[in-house]
Amino acid sequence: MSIADNLHFFQTQLAGTGCRLVTVTKTHPVDKLREAYDAGARLFGENKVQEMVAKQPELPTDIEWHLIGHLQTNKVKYVAPFVHTIQSIDSLKLLQEIEKQAAKHDRVVRGLLQFHIADEETKSGLSLAEAHEILRSESYQNLRHVQLTGVMGVATNTPDQDQLRREFRELRGFFEELKAQYFAAQPEFREISMGMSADYKLAIEEGSTLIRVGRAIFGAR
Ligand SMILES: *Cc1c(COP(=O)(O)O)cnc(C)c1O
């Protein structure tokens, strides 16, 4: 199956679901990204700043670039001129730095709060209590150049369907709670980014609005 065939498969799977595809392009060269673009992909996900910054100028300007990997505050300045959504927001400090750098470019950068939903110590993200703390803080209220549009999570790497379902439900629950408490009047707060090559079907069943798929489109990395 070609990249185009794989993308068309996902486009068909997602038609009418309200869920969109983030094509995860990490480690792949620009010519593969162009192949994906030509087959209709417009949301691209990268996990490393350096790689995203190197590829972005080589590709059409109507691509939405999503950063899906951990972001250090000292690297925000490199993506601030063009990044569409930073899916990996895990601190107030990071939000404040995005505010500062996006303001310099007179832009509003969208962001998702990343939650820790996996039962693995290594996977990063916020707890629900930490998210409440951020959203109640005065510094958060003062942000003008970063807009939170939802939540993101990476589930445990396991074939256990019940566990995956529990983790996706937990993330959806976090989304619903935050939506009701802080974003009820903001229709833009609507994204639940969950589901990857191995578990996207379950994620869609559990209400995902953004699946992040790499291997099932480009093959093994
Ligand atoms: C690499 C990556 C993906 C895509 O994983 P695949 O198994 O290739 O589909 C999704 N989300 C994050 C955060 C990633 O780093």
Side-chain angles (χ1 to χ4, degrees):
M1 295 276 273
S2 68
I3 291 172
D5 288 337
N6 294 333
L7 276 165
H8 292 149
F9 169 80
F10 277 99
Q11 287 154 1
T12 308
Q13 291 274 303
L14 294 180
T17 64
C19 179
R20 294 181 299 156
L21 171 69
V22 177
T23 302
V24 175
T25 52
K26 64 190 188 197
T27 75
H28 299 293
V30 166
D31 60 320
K32 300 269 189 209
L33 275 65
R34 188 169 290 281
E35 217 176 309
Y37 180 89
D38 289 341
R42 290 295 180 273
L43 281 59
F44 284 14
E46 287 279 343
N47 68 336
K48 295 206 172 89
V49 166
Q50 233 180 339
E51 205 177 325
M52 187 190 257
V53 167
K55 290 172 181 175
Q56 184 266 343
E58 306 288 324
L59 287 151
T61 52
D62 62 340
I63 290 171
E64 275 186 20
W65 290 93
H66 288 235
L67 191 74
I68 59 173
H70 180 69
L71 177 58
Q72 289 171 270
T73 50
N74 63 352
K75 294 194 177 159
V76 174
K77 57 177 176 287
Y78 303 116
V79 295
F82 68 88
V83 71
H84 182 276
T85 300
I86 295 172
Q87 294 206 4
S88 44
I89 294 182
D90 58 2
S91 71
L92 182 58
K93 197 173 119 217
L94 182 56
L95 279 167
Q96 289 169 318
E97 181 63 16
I98 298 167
E99 168 70 21
K100 184 174 143 193
Q101 299 301 334
K104 288 185 187 167
H105 300 278
D106 201 20
R107 298 188 68 226
V108 175
V109 170
R110 294 163 191 80
L112 306 182
L113 291 174
Q114 180 173 358
F115 284 94
H116 183 268
I117 54 169
D119 71 355
E120 296 160 22
E121 275 308 313
T122 51
K123 301 233 163 103
S124 52
L126 297 162
S127 66
L128 186 59
E130 289 167 333
H132 278 295
E133 200 176 313
I134 291 173
L135 295 169
R136 286 193 192 116
S137 71
E138 201 181 314
S139 332
Y140 170 74
Q141 313 299 327
N142 294 329
L143 303 177
R144 297 290 173 269
H145 297 88
V146 49
Q147 178 182 33
L148 291 179
T149 54
V151 302
M152 181 271 223
V154 180
T156 304
N157 184 8
T158 173
D160 182 341
Q161 303 291 295
D162 293 335
Q163 182 176 355
L164 289 168
R165 203 178 277 283
R166 271 199 306 278
E167 293 177 2
F168 291 145
R169 279 193 186 162
E170 182 179 35
L171 184 61
R172 185 185 178 147
F174 292 170
F175 169 81
E176 304 285 359
E177 181 172 327
L178 299 179
K179 172 94 184 157
Q181 274 199 43
Y182 306 100
F183 300 97
Q186 289 175 237
E188 303 81 16
F189 191 86
R190 63 189 177 93
E191 305 292 4
I192 307 175
S193 173
M194 59 186 186
M196 311 180 9
S197 293
D199 55 21
Y200 72 87
K201 277 203 191 109
L202 215 52
I204 295 169
E205 283 176 28
E206 295 302 331
S208 175
T209 69
L210 289 171
I211 53 170
R212 310 177 304 268
V213 180
R215 281 174 301 136
I217 293 167
F218 294 103
R221 284 183 290 274

